[in-house]
Amino acid sequence: MSFGPPPSIYTQSAVTAEAVRTGRRRKALLWSLTVVLVAALGTGGWFLWGAGSGRSKSPTDTPAAQGRLDVRESVEEPPASTVGTMAFRLSVDDMTPGESYEMPGMWATDKILAKGINKTLVGFRLGTDASPGDEKWKLALDGPICGYTRHVTNENRTAVLYRASTDEEAFCNHVAFFDLDDGRKIWSHDVPVAAIGTTTGTPRNGGVQDPPSVTLTHDTVAVTWGRGTVAYDMDHGTKRWSTSNTGACHDGGAAGGGALLVREECWSDDESLAVDSWERITYKVREVDPATGRTLWTYSAAKGVRQVAVPSTDPVVLAVSTGDTGFTELLSLDADGKNRATISLRNGTYVGECSYSTDYVVIDDCPTIAVGDGQVFVRSKDVIEKTTSNWIIGFDLATGDSTQKFESGANTLLIPVRTSGDRLLALRESQDHLSPTALVGLDPETGEETPYFYFELPAEAENFTSIDFNDVVVQNGRLFFGVRSATGPAADQPKWIYLVLGIESRTTKKQ
C-alpha cells in the first residue's frame, strides 16, 4: 500500500505508479461491465443496477434557519429513481500481509469524499474509481491523526487532532480546522496535555496521556484535553475561552452539533481499587455556552454507571451503561439538564451503539441511535429463527413511551442511520442476498417506508454495513461506507481491498 508514514504517504516509483494506473483502468473496465439485478420493493419487478445519466432534484442541503458557521443538518429527499449505482470507490491492491493503517474520520460534501489516513487527510472527487495517488487534494500533518469529529459545518469544514510527530511517544496535542472541498488548513493550534487519573501535570516517566477529543458547534471548535477544555472561533482560530480544573474531575470528551456538552470523568483516590477499575470513575455531563465557556447546567450520573455517551445534544439524550457490556438505558434531559424520561433497553432487547476506541475519543458518534422530532430510535437485537429479522422502535423523549415500530420482515435487518427532517433514514440490509439492500426513509408519524435506492454490495464489501468497523455517512443523496482501519490480506487471499464505497441513485444530480 502506498500511503502512510513511514515511508512518505505518497512516494512511489514510476514503475509502481504505472502499475497503479493500470490497475485502475482494469477496475474501471470491470465496473463498466458489471450489472447487478436488484428487486424492487413490493413489486416483484427487477431493475438493472448500473450507471445512469438521468438527473433529478437535488437534496435540500440545509434548513433555511442555518448559517454558514452552524453544524450541517442536511435533509435528504427521495430521488426520482430507486435504482442504485456506484457513486465512488476507493480501493488498493498492493497491501502486504501484516501491513496495517489507521483510517480515522470520513466526511462527504456534494463534490468530495474525504478520509483520514494515518498522518494525512485526503480528498477525492466523487464519481471516480480511485486509488492512492488519485486525490484532488491531500493535507499532510506532523503526526498521526489522534482525534476527529463526525460534524461538518455548512461551509464544509471540520476538525481533527493530530500528534506532534511520528514518534510513538509523541503527545496528541494539535488541532487543525480544514476545508473539505479543497483541503486547505484554515488554522491549527497546540493544545495542552494532561496525565490521566488523579495525577496532575503532564505525563511523566512513560505515563499515559489523558486522551483529548474535538467537536464542533456554532462558530466554535472545542477540544477537551483532560484538565480542561479550550475553544476557538472557526474563521480565525482565535481562542474564545478555556476552562481548567485541578480537582478529581477531568474533561473526558465533548459532544457538539446543536449545542455543546462536556463529559466529566471524576476519579476516586481509593487505593483499594485497581487503577484502571471502572469503579474509580463517576460521570457528570455539563452544557457549556459555546460563546463564553460558562456552564449552563450539570447532570450527575448515578454511581455505578460505567460509561456515558451523547447521541444528541439538542435535544439532550445520553446513553449510559450500568452493565458489563453495551448500553442499558437512554436518558432524555430537559433544557435545564433535568431528567425527563429514562428509556430501558431491556437487557439487550434493544441495541444502541456508539463509536468506542481506546485511540479516539468521540462521545457523540452513535450511529444506530437516531434522535429527531422529539423521539429517539434504536434497533432491536437480531431475531434468528427460521429467518433473520429485527425491528426499529421509537421512544417519546418527553414520556419514554414507545411510539412507532418498523418491522424488517424476513431475511432482512433494519439499521438506523440518522434522522433527516421528519424522516428516519435506515439501511434495509439483505440477509439472503436474493432481495436487495436499500437506503430507506421511515416516517415516524404514519409508519410509511419510502425507498431511496436499492443496491447490492460486492462480495469484498459485504461487511461494510457493520458499524463496529466502518463509518456510514449519508450526504447529498449518497450513501458512503468507509473502513476505520485497513490490514493487508493473508497470502492466500485476494489483494484487492475496498476502503470506501459510495452509492447513489442513478438520477442523483452530478455536481
Side-chain angles (χ1 to χ4, degrees):
M1 195 173 185
S2 56
F3 49 62
S8 178
I9 186 166
Y10 293 104
T11 54
Q12 296 183 6
S13 68
V15 173
T16 302
E18 176 59 28
V20 170
R21 287 192 292 271
T22 302
R24 290 200 301 271
R25 289 195 294 269
R26 172 179 57 81
K27 286 180 282 186
L29 177 61
L30 288 173
W31 186 305
S32 66
L33 295 177
T34 299
V35 176
V36 180
L37 292 176
V38 179
L41 181 67
T43 66
W46 295 85
F47 292 101
L48 289 178
W49 181 48
S53 58
R55 292 176 177 265
S56 71
K57 60 181 180 180
S58 61
T60 302
D61 291 330
T62 54
Q66 285 201 311
R68 67 180 186 88
L69 299 177
D70 287 322
V71 171
R72 184 177 66 190
E73 294 181 6
S74 62
V75 177
E76 306 294 326
E77 298 293 343
S81 171
T82 58
V83 180
T85 186
M86 291 278 191
F88 174 77
R89 180 170 62 188
L90 172 62
S91 59
V92 293
D93 57 9
D94 60 349
M95 287 188 69
T96 59
E99 193 175 6
S100 180
Y101 296 91
E102 290 297 306
M103 302 187 67
M106 183 174 75
W107 310 270
T109 74
D110 57 343
K111 303 178 182 66
I112 294 291
L113 187 287
K115 200 83 176 76
I117 304 177
N118 276 13
K119 60 169 287 186
T120 304
L121 296 158
V122 292
F124 296 88
R125 289 184 184 275
L126 297 178
T128 59
D129 187 10
S131 296
D134 293 334
E135 309 82 6
K136 179 185 177 184
W137 58 260
K138 57 181 180 284
L139 174 59
L141 305 171
D142 293 334
I145 298 166
C146 51
Y148 63 93
T149 174
R150 64 186 175 89
H151 296 299
V152 175
T153 72
N154 284 320
E155 285 190 318
N156 294 333
R157 294 176 175 180
T158 191
V160 296
L161 303 174
Y162 60 98
R163 297 188 183 278
S165 71
T166 57
D167 189 291
E168 290 185 359
E169 297 183 358
F171 289 138
C172 180
N173 63 349
H174 288 76
V175 58
F177 189 59
F178 66 101
D179 191 291
L180 290 168
D181 283 324
D182 58 21
R184 284 183 303 120
K185 184 193 291 184
I186 309 302
W187 51 260
S188 63
H189 281 293
D190 295 353
V191 293
V193 175
I196 199 168
T198 57
T199 304
T200 59
T202 58
R204 297 186 297 273
N205 300 323
V208 179
Q209 177 185 0
D210 204 336
S213 77
V214 61
T215 197
L216 309 181
T217 189
H218 174 72
D219 193 21
T220 303
V221 179
V223 178
T224 64
W225 53 276
R227 285 293 176 184
T229 299
V230 58
Y232 307 90
D233 82 275
M234 289 180 173
D235 279 339
H236 307 290
T238 303
K239 183 187 291 187
R240 308 188 73 175
W241 51 266
S242 63
T243 62
S244 61
N245 65 67
T246 56
C249 293
H250 290 200
D251 289 353
L260 177 60
L261 270 61
V262 174
R263 181 183 69 184
E264 295 182 29
E265 300 173 356
C266 301
W267 291 72
S268 167
D269 58 2
D270 186 346
E271 296 183 355
S272 67
L273 300 173
V275 174
D276 58 352
S277 171
W278 63 267
E279 294 178 288
R280 296 192 70 169
I281 303 175
T282 56
Y283 292 93
K284 298 178 182 179
V285 175
R286 68 179 190 269
E287 182 178 2
V288 176
D289 183 342
T292 65
R294 181 172 63 91
T295 295
L296 303 178
W297 52 257
T298 300
Y299 175 86
S300 297
K303 188 176 181 180
V305 168
R306 303 188 185 190
Q307 186 56 268
V308 175
V310 187
S312 174
T313 62
D314 183 21
V316 178
V317 176
L318 308 181
V320 302
S321 173
T322 58
D324 293 331
T325 59
F327 293 111
T328 53
E329 286 123 3
L330 302 177
L331 308 179
S332 169
L333 306 187
D334 65 15
D336 298 317
K338 307 297 184 183
N339 189 296
R340 299 172 71 194
T342 299
I343 299 165
S344 172
L345 298 183
R346 301 184 186 178
N347 296 319
T349 298
Y350 302 124
V351 181
E353 292 125 326
C354 296
S355 177
Y356 175 77
S357 170
T358 56
D359 298 318
Y360 312 103
V361 178
V362 191
I363 68 170
D364 56 356
D365 185 5
C366 298
T368 64
I369 306 175
V371 180
D373 197 28
Q375 299 179 71
V376 59
F377 301 91
V378 293
R379 64 184 176 94
S380 75
K381 65 180 180 181
D382 300 351
V383 178
I384 304 174
E385 294 177 349
K386 292 183 178 180
T387 63
T388 300
S389 64
N390 77 336
W391 64 89
I392 291 175
I393 192 165
F395 293 95
D396 188 290
L397 293 179
T399 65
D401 296 335
S402 60
T403 55
Q404 194 66 252
K405 183 179 182 181
F406 301 94
E407 298 276 2
S408 72
N411 292 314
T412 59
L413 294 175
L414 279 173
I415 305 171
V417 175
R418 70 171 174 90
T419 55
S420 173
D422 58 0
R423 286 191 181 101
L424 169 66
L425 299 180
L427 280 176
R428 176 172 284 281
E429 182 185 2
S430 173
Q431 296 296 293
D432 58 11
H433 304 293
L434 298 176
S435 59
T437 293
L439 178 68
V440 300
L442 306 176
D443 190 327
E445 183 175 346
T446 65
E448 178 185 1
E449 178 175 317
T450 301
Y452 279 53
F453 45 77
Y454 303 98
F455 61 95
E456 289 286 351
L457 292 174
E460 299 90 341
E462 286 179 353
N463 65 345
F464 266 28
T465 57
S466 170
I467 58 88
D468 292 330
F469 307 103
N470 305 286
D471 292 313
V472 180
V473 173
V474 178
Q475 185 61 41
N476 291 95
R478 301 178 180 93
L479 168 65
F480 298 93
F481 302 96
V483 301
R484 294 176 184 167
S485 63
T487 301
D492 60 345
Q493 293 180 341
K495 290 189 175 182
W496 189 1
I497 298 175
Y498 284 100
L499 303 179
V500 180
L501 191 63
I503 313 293
E504 65 185 1
S505 164
R506 69 178 182 181
T507 55
T508 297
K509 183 178 180 181
K510 306 302 187 291
Q511 303 295 328

